Amino acid sequence: MRQGGWAVMSKTFFPIWQLYVKLRLCVSVSLLLGLFVSAPVQALTVFYGDDRHPDLQKCDQFAYVGQQTEANECYQRLGNHSEVLVQANAAAALGNVREANRHFRQASSDSNDPIIKTNWASLYLLTHQVSDAVSLYREALVIEPSFLPARLGMIEATMQTYEGRAREELRAILAEFPDNVHALMLQARIELELQNTDVARDILAKAKPLLEANGLPKLDYYTLQAGANLLEAKPIDSWVDQALADNPIYGDIYSSVAHYYIITYRYREAVDLYKKAVALNPQLAIAQRDLGINYLRINNVFGARYHIRKAFELDPFDAETVNTLRFLDKLDFMRVSVVDVPDKDNPDRTIGRVIIRLDREDADALEPYVQDLSIKAMQVFSERYQFQLKRPMIVELYHDHDDFGVRTVSTPGIGLLGVTFGYLTAMDSPKARPAGDFHWGSTLWHEIAHVFTLEATNHLLPRWFSEGLSVYEEWNTGPLVDRSIPIDTLIAIAKNDLLPIDTLDAGFVRPTYNGQVQVSYTQAGLICDFISSEWGHDALVVMLNAFAERASTSEALQQAIGIDGPAFDLLFNQHIETLYGDFSRSLDDFQVANRQMSRAVRTADWVSVAVLARNVIDRAPERVGDGNAYEVLANALREQNDNEGAVAVLLDWHERGGHGVDALRWLVRQLREQERFDEAAGIMDSINWVNPYVVEEHRWLGDYYLSKEQSKLAVREYDALLGLQPEDPAEALLGKARASLLDGEDELARRQVLYALEHAPFLRSAQKLLLEFNEGERVD
Amino acid sequence: MMRSLFFGRLQKCISKTVWFSRMLCSAMLLLVSVNVSASSTGLVVTGLGGNDAYAEQFSAQGKIIVDALRSLDDSQAAPAASDSNENFMLLQAENATRDSIVSAIEKLGAKSSSAFYLILIGHGTVDAETWRFNLTGDDLTTEDLVAALATVNAEQQLVLVGTSASGALLDVLNQPGRLVVTATKSAGELNAVRFPEYLAKAMETTVADTDRNEILTLAEVYRYTNEQTQKYYENQKLLASEHARILGDSAERLPLARLGSLRSAKDDPVVAELLAKRLVLEDEFLAIKAKKPDMPIVDYYEELESVLLSIARLQQEIDVATGWVGSNE
């Protein structure tokens, strides 16, 4: 039912293949030297090609059945083989990577045989150096363009980077060599990756007799069958038993299958399988690594550290292991705070707990806001989805984007903003990006919505529904009301490129055009919004519960609103046509109007700018993001000394979700000058969800809330201000003292007055308060 | 004993030529009392603007700064804020020439004052030979400055150069007893600087007076000005083209202005007497703060509260004497 992909919830709509290209580059660079030193213990490799020397094949047979001692003795005997290539492959099988590399180099210098380059490339693949492997496969293909082992090797390498072209290339090879068992096994893996279990099983059915006829082990076959079972929520025991009957130490039957839990976001179950893998064969470095990484995803930091260290001992040159180990050291220095969330209607009752982990550098500034939003989110989502979290929710914000990358995919340089692994959600802090770059409050809201929808269904909901609900919640309950539809989505609507609801997951995991991931996010959000508006929010809850019971999308729709996917598509498309049909077909005119406006701005013709900007706003009033016409219009009015008009325009823009910090700051200044303090406070508060690092805003808001006797909000602002380590903290400390007084906590207030005077001993208002405390007079 | 130990540590902290460890130092800077009753002289010069906008800015900034400095002048020779004040001179426009500046430095420097201030605001340039302060007629060069400043007798000296390329002067003007502040870190920062704009703001208002004692020190002014300058570039999303530097010891002990009621009552002997008492209490306060790392926290705040109460009571007396009103804060 699910058509998952990568196990993350991206907020940035970053094309997934680009992510993996980045991963690949990073890994290969950081491991450049690894080949010459390390002897990693890797997963068992089955050699399907007929190009392997018979002497090696004899040794391979021992390895296939788990007789590792015999296999190693056999490979060792080949150390003096007459053929250098055999020596190289034997050394590789023994894990003597440096020696293998030396032999391959020597063999390569003596001969132009493409098999040498191909085998050498496999050594690089084994040691995680994909780009170097690709280079060697290319060299082999230059020597012999149709050399099948190199073509297949190239596919294996590109599969590691999840590039979509592997599938197409494999189809071409199988059209040419339909009975090539290696190609069939690779194709089955790709189809399973895409969760096409029926297709994968058909391929495996075809491969099985070929494996038997060629006397090849069926270990990969069992693994893939088990993977298909897992994806279909069937027991895997029979496949495991068969694999272990053939090879009693074949730990890959667990660790490789665990991968299919990972791609369907089921980290706890994946951990269970990895544990079995390392219990069966503790020498499996990758299983140790993946167990550690996934322990980390479920917030078992102790377990993570233990297994990552084990992985490091086995393979110290695996970039993911090294990155994660370094990250764990940093994790120790993050500040952890715990908040118990009260029931909104019954404050004495606790509905859940939030554990917040922040970098110490910006913990003080962010913590009050993260706490505030996490509490609200838990209250809102518990009620809206009629689901209470069963464990503490962990919220992590990283001020270094690369730390966030390692935390989520073990590699820096990723193009994501936020990731949710069930109860744990991690994201960039606003400091990780240029000031005002993204609405971090909205991102956090989106991610926390994932926590609820994933856990309410035990991660069984399809990707589109999880993303759709998060976008829908951003629009309807989040701290930012902006719901402007991206231009790419409007183009897709105009071109009729929206996917049917039953196959919408494909838009996330195997996009067919640039920007389709972003389009799919928006479409999913629109679908949820449409269902809610037509059948009520409860219909979404019914669907959520249906997915928890393993319903398909059509089945869930039937249960919730009484129609199946195709019938829903008809209604949804009509709805979209009504909302966006005309506009999507007149996008060219809209863009012409935008260009005219921009030209007028360049010539500083402010009268024309104002007219043209109003025209653009009339055409698409919901477009409030980057390049919006509201800010242009406000600027044009300011240039004509019409500040009143500019204020009105920006208030309208802000109301619709506009959140550009510079324009809002100007607006706040104007409102304060006009003594419209309540409006100014609301806008200033919203700025902090984009850029929380401005001292003046926190100071003013703190004083404002204090004047309104809203002590908790005042303290939030003063705490955030103090977190920014201002040169002059005394006023904020005094503000906290006054807030404590409002709450009747005189002793705390007295201490805070002392803190204030410790910084500014001549601060008269603090002195006055101190004197009043000592004279026993209660301060008004 | 306690205080001298403390100052030794503090001076070590600041004399690292530049404030790379700003936070560490700034925490300690607050722990210093300042005596404003000593005699002092100063010269503020604004150079050529090059265009009307800069000319107006420099002129206004110069006036603000010299007015602030004059609040330190205890002499009765001329009204403190008057342009005819002989202890704190302002040279601007056509009056600001190479010769007039050198002459003024020599004249003021020859007086027996305890502190001497030289503040230059304008455009600076460098060539292969020297740094130049752009003036009507011949520019003032590094060599001119070095020679003129050599005649200054005051124990405490401040040379603050708020111009482009002023970092070129950092090392060459460095002398024992002299604080050097430049708007740029080197000769290579050649764009017009914003440092003087925030310097003027710091000296015109109470924003930089973090301990609220109504005495602005160079440390407070520098900290505020530097921070605001860097914030300007951050807010404008521009690469900062100026990085101020400070060189020398005891910036926290060099007053730059009296503020508020203290300023208006500076000639009042009653206020002077109260201020002398306050100085003693401030020293006591600082001594307790210096002991903080070695004291149980409860004892520390008990002792602190006691002296803070004394300060608060005394401050009430001072405020009555000076006519301080709440709005000053």
Side-chain angles (χ1 to χ4, degrees):
Chain A
M1 295 305 115
R2 294 176 312 282
Q3 292 181 317
W6 185 242
V8 294
M9 307 296 176
S10 142
K11 234 336 237 91
T12 49
F13 320 119
F14 203 94
I16 218 77
W17 56 85
Q18 290 184 28
L19 164 65
Y20 284 100
V21 170
K22 285 190 173 191
L23 297 187
R24 183 195 62 180
L25 289 173
C26 191
V27 168
S28 59
V29 169
S30 54
L31 280 173
L32 204 57
L33 298 176
L35 188 57
F36 305 101
V37 189
S38 82
V41 181
Q42 299 295 341
L44 178 64
T45 304
V46 175
F47 297 96
Y48 292 105
D50 54 9
D51 53 348
R52 196 156 166 90
H53 194 284
D55 291 343
L56 284 165
Q57 288 182 1
K58 283 180 196 161
C59 304
D60 295 340
Q61 292 303 322
F62 290 118
Y64 294 154
V65 297
Q67 295 176 8
Q68 203 54 51
T69 306
E70 291 81 352
N72 288 347
E73 288 169 0
C74 180
Y75 290 127
Q76 277 164 1
R77 284 195 293 274
L78 298 180
N80 296 319
H81 198 276
S82 58
E83 292 185 30
V84 179
L85 182 60
V86 173
Q87 291 178 32
N89 279 311
L94 287 165
N96 298 330
V97 180
R98 185 193 295 186
E99 190 182 336
N101 190 54
R102 185 167 54 80
H103 289 318
F104 279 125
R105 182 177 291 116
Q106 183 191 338
S108 183
S109 65
D110 295 342
S111 165
N112 216 19
D113 189 342
I115 193 64
I116 297 171
K117 302 277 188 193
T118 306
N119 284 190
W120 196 5
S122 301
L123 182 69
Y124 274 93
L125 265 192
L126 189 74
T127 49
H128 324 288
Q129 300 180 81
V130 181
S131 58
D132 298 284
V134 166
S135 299
L136 282 166
Y137 286 130
R138 283 209 183 104
E139 287 181 34
L141 289 169
V142 167
I143 297 166
E144 191 178 324
S146 60
F147 188 61
L148 188 56
R151 291 171 70 189
L152 289 168
M154 185 70 98
I155 286 168
E156 273 196 276
T158 49
M159 279 171 68
Q160 292 200 15
T161 61
Y162 290 74
E163 289 178 25
R165 60 190 162 91
R167 195 182 189 202
E168 304 310 315
E169 176 65 10
L170 207 48
R171 279 187 182 149
I173 288 175
L174 281 165
E176 208 177 333
F177 306 99
D179 290 335
N180 184 290
V181 71
H182 190 188
L184 286 169
M185 297 305 286
L186 290 176
Q187 194 188 30
R189 267 173 58 190
I190 286 179
E191 293 304 327
L192 268 194
E193 196 71 35
L194 299 171
Q195 301 183 48
N196 296 330
T197 51
D198 291 343
V199 179
R201 284 196 199 280
D202 287 346
I203 297 165
L204 289 172
K206 189 175 175 187
K208 187 182 177 191
L210 295 169
L211 289 167
E212 290 168 347
N214 290 305
L216 289 164
K218 288 190 281 187
L219 296 170
D220 284 344
Y221 170 83
Y222 298 137
T223 302
L224 294 172
Q225 287 284 13
N229 272 28
L230 188 148
L231 289 171
E232 292 172 348
K234 294 174 183 168
I236 63 170
D237 301 355
S238 62
W239 301 113
V240 171
D241 292 345
Q242 290 180 71
L244 295 181
D246 286 2
N247 179 343
I249 61 164
Y250 185 58
D252 296 355
I253 189 63
Y254 294 117
S255 57
S256 297
V257 174
H259 171 72
Y260 300 102
Y261 272 138
I262 298 295
I263 66 172
T264 49
Y265 325 135
R266 298 172 67 182
Y267 308 102
R268 288 192 291 274
E269 290 88 340
V271 160
D272 290 341
L273 287 184
Y274 287 126
K275 280 160 71 177
K276 288 182 180 175
V278 300
L280 193 63
N281 186 353
Q283 301 304 305
L284 283 173
I286 290 178
Q288 294 279 11
R289 177 198 72 190
D290 290 343
L291 176 54
I293 287 171
N294 286 287
Y295 262 142
L296 204 49
R297 287 171 176 167
I298 59 173
N299 202 38
N300 181 345
V301 179
F302 182 82
R305 193 186 303 277
Y306 178 83
H307 288 283
I308 290 289
R309 277 188 182 153
K310 284 273 181 198
F312 183 74
E313 286 164 14
L314 293 164
D315 183 0
F317 298 98
D318 182 329
E320 291 186 37
T321 302
V322 175
N323 289 338
T324 308
L325 204 52
R326 285 184 181 148
F327 167 77
L328 280 165
D329 288 341
K330 287 188 178 180
L331 199 65
D332 289 340
F333 291 98
M334 292 179 77
R335 196 168 83 187
V336 178
S337 61
V338 177
V339 187
D340 285 332
V341 179
D343 188 330
K344 202 170 52 174
D345 303 319
N346 178 9
D348 293 335
R349 181 174 161 263
T350 298
I351 59 169
R353 173 169 283 191
V354 186
I355 298 171
I356 297 166
R357 197 177 271 140
L358 300 168
D359 286 297
R360 286 191 183 275
E361 286 82 349
D362 61 352
D364 287 329
L366 280 185
E367 198 173 83
Y369 278 83
V370 176
Q371 282 189 2
D372 204 22
L373 189 129
S374 301
I375 289 169
K376 275 184 200 152
M378 191 177 277
Q379 289 171 337
V380 167
F381 296 140
S382 297
E383 186 178 326
R384 280 172 73 79
Y385 293 99
Q386 294 155 35
F387 174 75
Q388 283 208 356
L389 296 181
K390 296 175 178 65
R391 301 174 188 207
M393 174 173 76
I394 299 108
V395 174
E396 298 177 349
L397 277 79
Y398 291 89
H399 71 164
D400 181 337
H401 179 67
D402 284 342
D403 285 347
F404 164 66
V406 174
R407 202 297 169 238
T408 50
V409 292
S410 311
T411 309
I414 63 168
L416 306 169
L417 275 179
V419 173
T420 298
F421 300 106
Y423 280 103
L424 188 148
T425 189
M427 60 177 278
D428 273 342
S429 95
K431 197 167 265 184
R433 303 205 169 232
D437 195 52
F438 74 115
H439 196 288
W440 69 277
S442 192
T443 302
L444 183 53
W445 195 262
H446 177 108
E447 297 303 330
I448 295 178
H450 277 311
V451 174
F452 277 79
T453 55
L454 286 170
E455 291 306 331
T457 59
N458 193 24
H459 298 227
L460 289 171
L461 78 174
R463 175 78 179 268
W464 78 263
F465 194 56
S466 189
E467 297 298 354
L469 285 176
S470 281
V471 173
Y472 158 77
E473 291 297 350
E474 273 190 82
W475 287 344
N476 289 285
T477 59
L480 176 68
V481 292
D482 174 12
R483 57 165 63 203
S484 51
I485 305 301
I487 291 289
D488 279 354
T489 307
L490 293 166
I491 292 171
I493 290 169
K495 291 165 71 177
N496 212 18
D497 271 348
L498 295 188
L499 291 170
I501 192 170
D502 282 325
T503 58
L504 183 50
D505 267 9
F508 293 95
V509 296
R510 45 173 191 273
T512 55
Y513 58 86
N514 274 342
Q516 193 179 10
V517 174
Q518 182 184 10
V519 170
S520 301
Y521 268 89
T522 317
Q523 185 185 346
L526 287 168
I527 286 173
C528 292
D529 211 41
F530 174 57
I531 291 171
S532 177
S533 64
E534 287 294 309
W535 293 278
H537 173 79
D538 287 350
L540 293 170
V541 180
V542 173
M543 286 183 72
L544 196 69
N545 293 335
F547 285 124
E549 299 298 321
R550 298 183 182 280
S552 67
T553 292
S554 266
E555 289 164 352
L557 284 168
Q558 278 285 3
Q559 287 184 37
I561 60 177
I563 56 176
D564 64 6
F568 175 83
D569 287 335
L570 283 175
L571 293 174
F572 176 68
N573 289 338
Q574 284 169 11
H575 171 70
I576 292 299
E577 171 62 26
T578 307
L579 286 181
Y580 305 111
D582 288 344
F583 181 57
S584 67
R585 283 186 293 276
S586 64
L587 270 183
D588 286 346
D589 293 342
F590 178 72
Q591 283 168 340
V592 166
N594 261 306
R595 280 196 291 274
Q596 285 175 336
M597 181 180 74
S598 301
R599 270 198 296 273
V601 170
R602 281 198 293 276
T603 58
D605 177 1
W606 301 114
V607 174
S608 301
V609 170
V611 171
L612 292 166
R614 285 190 201 282
N615 175 36
V616 172
I617 292 170
D618 287 344
R619 285 168 182 270
E622 76 284 359
R623 308 202 67 75
V624 296
D626 287 344
N628 69 83
Y630 291 92
E631 287 179 270
V632 176
L633 174 57
N635 197 38
L637 294 173
R638 284 170 60 187
E639 292 289 346
Q640 297 172 75
N641 296 318
D642 181 6
N643 279 3
E644 278 294 313
V647 165
V649 168
L650 291 178
L651 281 172
D652 182 25
W653 169 67
H654 179 255
E655 185 78 14
R656 294 170 184 273
H659 56 274
V661 171
D662 293 340
L664 289 181
R665 289 225 171 94
W666 181 85
L667 178 58
V668 164
R669 281 197 297 276
Q670 294 297 311
L671 292 171
R672 283 171 59 181
E673 279 174 20
Q674 296 171 23
E675 299 189 358
R676 294 160 70 177
F677 297 126
D678 292 348
E679 288 168 280
I683 289 162
M684 220 179 234
D685 197 279
S686 70
I687 291 175
N688 285 326
W689 295 107
V690 184
N691 182 5
Y693 302 116
V694 182
V695 166
E696 176 53 28
E697 257 129 43
H698 293 300
R699 179 175 290 139
W700 190 87
L701 270 178
D703 293 347
Y704 168 81
Y705 287 130
L706 203 56
S707 73
K708 298 283 176 187
E709 301 194 350
Q710 292 178 278
S711 58
K712 285 196 169 39
L713 286 173
V715 168
R716 182 187 75 178
E717 294 307 319
Y718 292 131
D719 278 342
L721 192 158
L722 291 168
L724 294 172
Q725 299 178 342
E727 295 291 353
D728 182 6
E731 300 273 8
L733 290 163
L734 182 61
K736 286 186 72 173
R738 290 186 164 135
S740 299
L741 279 177
L742 278 177
D743 291 341
E745 297 188 53
D746 291 19
E747 198 45 48
L748 179 60
R750 183 188 185 119
R751 210 177 323 142
Q752 284 159 335
V753 167
L754 282 178
Y755 296 156
L757 287 169
E758 190 178 13
H759 287 279
F762 303 96
L763 182 61
R764 306 296 197 283
S765 39
Q767 287 180 334
K768 182 169 176 278
L769 213 49
L770 184 67
L771 287 169
E772 285 172 349
F773 277 129
N774 280 274
E775 287 157 15
E777 292 174 18
R778 179 72 163 81
V779 179
D780 293 328
Chain B
M1 180 62 184
M2 182 57 71
R3 192 168 174 204
S4 63
L5 275 176
F6 168 71
F7 281 134
R9 201 169 58 195
L10 183 62
Q11 282 169 8
K12 196 174 172 186
C13 172
I14 293 174
S15 65
K16 293 296 181 185
T17 67
V18 287
W19 288 6
F20 289 123
S21 304
R22 187 170 59 89
M23 294 311 292
L24 180 66
C25 292
S26 66
M28 301 174 74
L29 287 175
L30 294 170
L31 313 183
V32 180
S33 63
V34 182
N35 189 344
V36 287
S37 61
S39 63
S40 47
T41 58
L43 171 65
V44 177
V45 185
T46 61
L48 282 178
N51 63 31
D52 289 347
Y54 277 122
E56 282 171 26
Q57 277 178 33
F58 295 160
S59 172
Q61 289 159 1
K63 283 175 183 154
I64 290 168
I65 291 165
V66 82
D67 278 351
L69 287 172
R70 283 171 179 164
S71 69
L72 301 172
D73 189 8
D74 289 332
S75 76
Q76 304 297 313
S82 162
D83 282 346
S84 60
N85 185 305
E86 290 186 353
N87 288 331
F88 286 93
M89 296 171 65
L90 171 66
L91 292 175
Q92 295 191 294
E94 66 278 5
N95 294 329
T97 64
R98 175 182 172 276
D99 291 344
S100 67
I101 295 168
V102 170
S103 166
I105 293 172
E106 288 171 352
K107 182 181 165 193
L108 293 167
K111 294 191 175 190
S112 57
S113 60
S114 60
F116 170 79
Y117 302 82
L118 172 64
I119 295 177
L120 307 179
I121 304 294
H123 296 305
T125 55
V126 282
D127 57 26
E129 302 295 323
T130 187
W131 169 85
R132 294 174 191 279
F133 183 44
N134 298 354
L135 298 167
T136 302
D138 290 342
D139 289 343
L140 185 78
T141 65
T142 306
E143 292 70 30
D144 296 333
L145 264 182
V146 170
L149 288 167
T151 65
V152 177
N153 294 322
E155 275 179 34
Q156 266 191 315
Q157 297 177 25
L158 166 66
V159 180
L160 188 156
V161 190
T163 74
S164 40
S166 50
L169 297 170
L170 262 179
D171 290 332
V172 73
L173 294 184
N174 186 17
Q175 290 286 325
R178 182 186 295 161
L179 281 147
V180 181
V181 175
T182 58
T184 76
K185 66 181 177 184
S186 69
E189 294 187 322
L190 291 165
N191 290 345
V193 292
R194 308 200 73 90
F195 187 85
E197 180 183 334
Y198 298 108
L199 174 71
K201 190 174 177 193
M203 294 185 69
E204 187 180 26
T205 65
T206 58
V207 288
D209 181 25
T210 48
D211 63 3
R212 311 301 202 283
N213 66 351
E214 296 187 289
I215 299 167
L216 265 186
T217 64
L218 175 62
E220 287 174 327
V221 167
Y222 178 82
R223 190 167 52 229
Y224 174 83
T225 307
N226 188 36
E227 187 183 81
Q228 294 301 313
T229 305
Q230 294 310 311
K231 266 188 189 163
Y232 165 81
Y233 288 99
E234 277 173 34
N235 292 340
Q236 297 296 315
K237 298 185 172 59
L238 295 170
L239 280 176
S241 56
E242 60 184 293
H243 300 82
R245 291 290 185 261
I246 185 167
L247 200 62
D249 298 334
S250 306
E252 71 290 348
R253 306 198 70 184
L254 184 67
L256 287 193
R258 288 184 171 109
L259 300 172
S261 54
L262 212 54
R263 185 173 189 165
S264 51
K266 69 188 176 64
D267 300 329
D268 185 335
V270 176
V271 173
E273 193 181 332
L274 290 169
L275 279 180
K277 285 185 187 171
R278 193 178 83 172
L279 212 57
V280 174
L281 286 174
E282 274 187 82
D283 281 348
E284 202 178 320
F285 167 77
L286 295 171
I288 296 168
K289 282 195 78 170
K291 289 192 294 183
K292 183 176 182 179
D294 307 318
M295 286 178 75
I297 204 72
V298 175
D299 296 350
Y300 167 75
Y301 279 108
E302 256 180 33
E303 276 195 42
L304 197 72
E305 183 169 5
S306 169
V307 73
L308 282 170
L309 278 166
S310 301
I311 289 175
R313 289 182 185 120
L314 180 61
Q315 189 62 49
Q316 285 193 325
E317 286 183 55
I318 296 172
D319 289 345
V320 168
T322 59
W324 189 91
V325 289
S327 57
N328 285 5
E329 198 165 83

